[in-house]
Amino acid sequence: MKRYAELDTWIDAHFNEEVAFLQALVQVPTDTPPGNNAPHAERTAELLAAFDMEAERHRVPEDEVRAYGLQSLTNLIVRRPYGAGKTIALNAHGDVVPPGEGWVHDPYGGEVEDGKLYGRASAVSKSDFATYTFAVRALESLGAPLKGGVELHFTYDEEFGGELGPGWLLRCGLTKPDYLIAAGFSYQVVTAHNGCLQMEVTVHGKMAHAAIPTSGVDALQGAVHILNALYNQNTLYQQVRSKVEGITHPYLNVGRIEGGTNTNVVPGKVVLRLDRRMIPEEDPVAVEASIRQVIADAAAQQPGITVDIKRLLLARALQPLSGNKPLVEALQKHGQAVFGEPIPTSGTPLYTDVRLYCEQGIPAVIYGAGPRTVLESNAKRADEHIVLDDLRRATKVVARSLYDLLS
C-alpha cells in the first residue's frame, strides 16, 4: 500500500535523527533508586519541543515522591488530536535500575558499535521513547486525514511499580485513552504478564559480643532458617504451570540482604527483601498470605527470633482484555510484513505498568523495539543495548499500525 511505503521511507530518511534522539535520552541518567528523574523528563520535553511536540509536564508532589522512596518525578503527556474517534496512548518508562558492574561501554554514553546502541535503558525502555515519537512523526508527515488521536505517556517509576507514573496520571484524571500500546520487544505482541509481590522481612534477634554469643540471639541464623524455608517453596512453585504461552511457573527470589553491626558482634537484626512472581492464574491475596505463613512458621522454630513483614509492592498480573483485538491484529499484520516472519501473541514473566491501564478497562498490548528475549538485550545487566535495525523496523510497525487504527 502506498501509505505504508511513505511511512517506511520517512522513517528511513529520519533514522539517524531517531538514533541521536535515543542517544540524548540515554545520556541523562535515570537510576532508580535513587530516582531523581525529573531532569530526564525536562530533557525529553526539550527534545520533543524541537519536533514541535509540546509535552505537558505533570510533576508529582514532592511529599508523595519522597514517601514512595524516590527523589523527583515528572510525568509527560504529549497529546496529538486529529479529530473525532479513538485515542491511542503509547507508554514507555524512562526509569531504570542502576548500571552495576561489568560494563565495557559507558552506561550513559549511547555508544553505537556494530549496529547496536549501548547504554542503560537503551533497550528497556528509552528505546520506545524513540519508537513512539518517530512513529507519530512519520504518521503526521503523511498529511492524511485521521480520526481520533494519539497520546505519548513518558513516565518514570516502573521500577517501583508504576503507581506514581501511569497510576498517578490515571487517578488524577489526566488521561483516559481508549487503547494502549506499551514498551516491549519487536518479535512478539505481549497480551499477558506475571504479577509481582515484593516484601521486606525484618528478622529481630539480640545483639551480643561475639566472645559470649550465648548472651544474644543471632538474627542471621534465624534469617538463614527463614531463607531456606522460602527457597524451598520454589520446588513447590515449579509444579504449578501457567496456561499462558511465554509464562512458566511462579518463582521467589531474595534480592537483597542487610544486617549486623560489626564482625565481632552477634547480629541483632537482618533485613531481607524478596520478590515473588505470580502467574496470571494466581490470587495475589492467597499468595501473600501463604508467604507470611511460611515466614511465621520458620521464625517460630528459632527461639528468641521475631519478624516484622512489610509489603513493598503488589503488582497484579496482566490479563488480556477482549477489546485489544484491533491492536493485536494491526501489530501482527505489520510486524509480519516488516520483519518477514509471524509475530505471535504471548505472555511475559515480567510485570509492567500496563496492568494499571487494564485495571481501568483500557485494552492494551505490549509492543516496541527490542530482541526476542529480555536476556538478549542485557536489560538490567552490563552492556544493555538495542539493535538499531530492530528499532528502525519496530518504528515502522507502530507507525503503520497507528495509520490503520486512526485512518
Side-chain angles (χ1 to χ4, degrees):
M1 183 177 176
K2 179 183 176 183
R3 290 300 194 187
Y4 302 152
E6 290 174 351
L7 289 168
D8 293 352
T9 298
W10 189 95
I11 290 165
D12 287 336
H14 292 79
F15 190 64
N16 287 342
E17 188 180 0
E18 183 174 359
V19 172
F21 177 70
L22 177 54
Q23 287 176 305
L25 296 174
V26 168
Q27 287 162 358
V28 180
T30 47
D31 299 352
T32 306
N36 181 26
N37 294 334
H40 190 277
E42 191 61 35
R43 178 60 173 147
T44 302
E46 292 172 358
L47 294 168
L48 291 168
F51 305 145
D52 292 324
M53 302 178 84
E54 181 184 356
E56 300 171 5
R57 297 162 172 86
H58 296 286
R59 189 174 186 90
V60 181
E62 184 177 353
D63 57 345
E64 292 186 51
V65 174
R66 296 287 180 177
Y68 204 50
L70 303 177
Q71 293 182 354
S72 71
L73 200 161
T74 301
N75 297 308
L76 303 178
I77 298 179
V78 177
R79 303 184 200 268
R80 308 300 280 186
Y82 307 125
K86 304 289 188 182
T87 296
I88 302 170
L90 305 168
N91 171 238
H93 67 93
D95 60 306
V96 73
V97 297
E101 298 177 351
W103 286 74
V104 173
H105 300 270
D106 180 352
Y108 308 116
E111 300 169 17
V112 174
E113 183 178 304
D114 295 330
K116 301 174 182 177
L117 190 154
Y118 288 85
R120 179 52 91 220
S122 60
V124 183
S125 70
K126 291 177 183 176
S127 58
D128 285 328
F129 280 47
T131 305
Y132 298 157
T133 297
F134 277 74
V136 172
R137 291 187 68 202
L139 176 70
E140 294 178 352
S141 75
L142 297 177
L146 300 170
K147 302 173 182 178
V150 173
E151 292 182 359
L152 300 177
H153 296 177
F154 295 146
T155 54
Y156 288 92
D157 77 326
E158 196 269 351
E159 298 295 342
F160 271 49
E163 295 293 344
L164 291 188
W168 189 80
L169 293 175
L170 291 162
R171 283 195 305 276
C172 292
L174 294 166
T175 183
K176 186 64 185 293
D178 298 287
Y179 295 108
L180 173 80
I181 301 174
F185 290 158
S186 303
Y187 296 86
Q188 58 187 349
V189 179
V190 173
T191 58
H193 67 59
N194 273 352
C196 180
L197 170 66
Q198 294 181 352
M199 305 172 78
E200 182 178 85
V201 182
T202 304
V203 183
H204 299 281
K206 181 181 178 183
M207 283 196 303
H209 197 295
I212 45 172
T214 55
S215 64
V217 178
D218 191 333
L220 181 56
Q221 288 192 35
V224 168
H225 192 73
I226 291 169
L227 282 168
N228 285 334
L230 288 170
Y231 279 127
N232 282 340
Q233 295 299 300
N234 280 333
T235 303
L236 302 176
Y237 297 155
Q238 289 172 14
Q239 300 170 21
V240 180
R241 310 299 294 191
S242 175
K243 295 180 180 178
V244 178
E245 185 70 28
I247 295 176
T248 54
H249 55 75
Y251 195 78
L252 185 146
N253 177 69
V254 177
R256 187 162 185 171
I257 303 174
E258 299 177 357
T261 54
N262 204 2
T263 310
N264 61 351
V265 178
V266 173
K269 183 174 81 172
V270 173
V271 180
L272 315 172
R273 288 195 169 193
L274 65 89
D275 177 301
R276 168 65 157 81
R277 297 298 161 124
M278 300 176 286
I279 62 175
E281 293 88 345
E282 289 187 294
D283 174 9
V285 174
V287 168
E288 181 170 355
S290 174
I291 291 176
R292 287 179 178 271
Q293 191 62 54
V294 168
I295 294 169
D297 290 346
Q301 296 172 17
Q302 301 292 298
I305 291 294
T306 60
V307 294
D308 294 323
I309 305 171
K310 180 171 69 173
R311 181 206 292 174
L312 302 176
L313 168 71
L314 178 58
R316 297 182 181 276
L318 171 63
Q319 303 278 359
L321 295 184
S322 58
N324 69 10
K325 185 177 179 181
L327 299 174
V328 172
E329 289 181 344
L331 291 166
Q332 286 188 312
K333 169 187 170 182
H334 294 294
Q336 180 159 359
V338 173
F339 283 86
E341 62 181 83
I343 305 296
T345 59
S346 68
T348 177
L350 304 173
Y351 74 91
T352 76
D353 291 348
V354 181
R355 73 190 192 282
L356 297 167
Y357 292 90
C358 289
E359 287 171 7
Q360 298 296 318
I362 300 166
V365 296
I366 300 173
Y367 185 84
R372 296 178 189 277
T373 67
V374 176
L375 189 63
E376 288 178 40
S377 70
N378 278 8
K380 289 187 168 60
R381 300 190 300 151
D383 286 330
E384 179 180 347
H385 60 271
I386 181 77
V387 175
L388 291 178
D389 195 44
D390 286 339
L391 175 64
R392 181 197 301 262
R393 292 189 291 179
T395 305
K396 294 178 179 179
V397 172
V398 174
R400 285 164 164 239
S401 298
L402 290 175
Y403 177 76
D404 279 4
L405 292 162
L406 297 172
S407 66

